[in-house]
Amino acid sequence: MIDCALISADEGFRHRVLAAIRQPDAQARLVLDIPSFGDRVTSVDLGKVVQAAPKVAFLDLGKGPAGVDGIRALTHEAPEVALIAAGPELSAEGLLAVMRAGAAEYLPRPFSAGDVEEA
């Protein structure tokens, strides 16, 4: 079973991630749910991620690349967690910044539950 964390305040994003996690054959479970965007991740939120020790975290960057700071913070505090970030379509430079900050995958909107499963 893969323990997962969900960090997003966007209902559409949350719905697609939860749909993928809750598939009968998904082999995943939600162990932490933080209703926030990547650019608003607090030290308290980071502590919750460390304590929950998920293998994968789905992080919603919100409307722009400011959420990259959230990726950096999570990568620093919980380097063993694979981060799957999502947000708007990014330029090559923006995508590179997301990956260099520590994201293992990036899902540009719009994406489907199938895209989440694949990631």
Side-chain angles (χ1 to χ4, degrees), residues 42-82:
T42 67
S43 60
V44 172
D45 295 334
L46 293 174
K48 290 177 183 178
V49 173
V50 169
Q51 186 175 16
K55 296 292 182 205
V56 176
F58 295 93
L59 177 66
D60 187 352
L61 298 184
K63 296 184 180 190
V68 169
D69 290 338
I71 295 171
R72 282 191 195 100
L74 279 167
T75 300
H76 182 263
E77 293 297 321
E80 68 284 351
V81 176

Side-chain angles (χ1 to χ4, degrees), residues 39 80 84 94 113:
D39 61 345
E80 68 284 351
I84 300 174

Side-chain angles (χ1 to χ4, degrees), residues 93-106:
E93 294 83 19
L95 182 57
L96 185 58
V98 165
M99 302 311 277
R100 285 182 175 166
E105 290 272 348
Y106 186 75

